[in-house]
Amino acid sequence: MSSSAEVPAAIPIFDGHNDTLLRLALQKEKPPEEVFGKGAGSGHIDLPKARAGGFAGGFFAMFPPPIKSTDLSQVTQAQRYDVPLPPMLPIESAQASTIRMLSIMLRLEQALPDDVAVCRTAGEIRAAMAANRIAALLHIEGAEAIDPDFAMLDVLYAAGLRSIGLVWSRSNIYGHGVPFRFPGSPDVGPGLTDAGKALVAECNRRGIVVDLSHLNEQGFWDVAGISTAPLVATHSNVHALSESARNLTDKQLAAIRESGGVVGLNFATGFLRPDGAMRADTDLDIMVRHLDYLLERLGEDGLAFGSDFDGAVIPNAIGSAAGLQRLVDRLREAGYSEALLRKIAHENWLSLIERTQA
Ligand code: ZN
């Protein structure tokens, strides 16, 4: 009790990426609102874990899964890998899974009105955080569900969609992604299609975040050339520290800084470790090293978290959303100031969303 005044309070965390809606969609045992609200043993984000770790919200991805799931078993301990990408996903399949995940998000908000809020603006996120409701910004990871006439975009936007990753790693009608390859370069394949360029312009017009994580390098430069908004990678790391095709080169980091953009640190051990292995027994020091590097390259306003919770093998030392403050504590020990921690934890994402809004 005597020392409690010296213990810094938990810093609320607004995070750049999770796959919780897909996890809830894939489990069939219980209603998603029950699994989320009461919590389940497995899984990275549910209400009790969020409350325990100061998870205050984030980008909630709707990722349309491949019809046949990608086999990542060779990746787990390997120091080199190259996993073939699934074929293009038919729009019917992408729309069906997207509607399912969107419905889950809306039902969570309806079933847990004091705990969950779907947010459309930075102002709504701030209000939700002030009311201690988990602030969800709807994101699409891979635009397969969106037809080139943008009819589905009209519908999804009306439902709250405010962030689009043009591609997950497989190709679609808008562009091409990076492979699951280590070591690997993001410089693979051609840039955006004409439809992809039109989608970027439409996102700019509507104030939707364009997410560059998973996009190949030529696509990245196409977006950098045409987008009027800050450049964003919601869940990517530093290529100079971990040579995954999913990570950002120094040149890309310089362009993101130039645009006033943000990079969310991905907790996926395979994108953190110098050896590319997906191992839960990975120390948090490697996360500090990536953040140090991002801080140097992007400045204090350019780095944030993009956990990839419920979509990746993350360090045991964090374990789930319940362990988020352990990362904050480690950064504090490494000399990060309280003001910088607040920027990384939520302020930088809020500012980015505010500056992207139409
Ligand atoms: Zn991803």
Side-chain angles (χ1 to χ4, degrees), residues 17 99 111 181 183 205 215 222 242 254 345 352:
H17 188 89
I99 287 167
R181 184 178 293 158
R205 194 179 73 76
L215 191 61
D222 285 346
S242 174
L352 181 283

Side-chain angles (χ1 to χ4, degrees), residues 17 141 168 214 235 246 308:
H17 188 89
E141 184 165 36
W168 177 69
H214 288 277
H235 58 308
R246 273 280 281 105
D308 222 342

Side-chain angles (χ1 to χ4, degrees), residues 12 15 72 105 116 118-119 139 143 150 167-168 184 209-210 240 265 272 287 313 319 331:
D15 178 65
L72 289 174
M105 187 76 249
V116 177
V118 176
C119 298
H139 168 80
F150 302 148
V167 301
W168 177 69
V209 172
V210 176
L265 179 80
L272 286 167
M287 303 178 81
V313 177
L331 293 169

Side-chain angles (χ1 to χ4, degrees), residues 42 69 87 94 129 209 281 310 332 334:
S42 62
S69 66
M129 287 172 69
V209 172
D281 61 343
D310 285 319
R332 202 174 266 130

Side-chain angles (χ1 to χ4, degrees), residues 2 63 100 123 158 235 270 333:
S2 56
F63 165 61
R100 168 87 178 123
H235 58 308
E333 284 162 29

Side-chain angles (χ1 to χ4, degrees), residues 59 209-212 220 223-224 227-235 248 252-265 294-295 297-305 343-344 347-356:
F59 292 67
V209 172
V210 176
D211 179 20
L212 303 166
F220 178 101
V223 175
S227 180
T228 58
L231 301 176
V232 175
T234 58
H235 58 308
L248 297 160
Q252 289 177 305
L253 292 173
I256 290 168
R257 180 180 193 142
E258 178 81 8
S259 76
V262 170
V263 173
L265 179 80
L294 291 174
L295 180 60
R297 299 286 166 153
L298 301 171
E300 290 201 350
D301 300 329
L303 68 168
F305 295 140
K343 285 187 176 207
I344 296 172
E347 286 174 2
N348 286 346
W349 274 136
L350 287 168
S351 163
L352 181 283
I353 292 162
E354 194 144 62
R355 287 179 287 120
T356 302

Side-chain angles (χ1 to χ4, degrees), residues 11 24 55 114 147 194 204 258 312 349:
I11 296 182
L24 294 173
F55 176 88
D114 296 333
D147 55 282
D194 287 345
N204 286 166
E258 178 81 8
W349 274 136

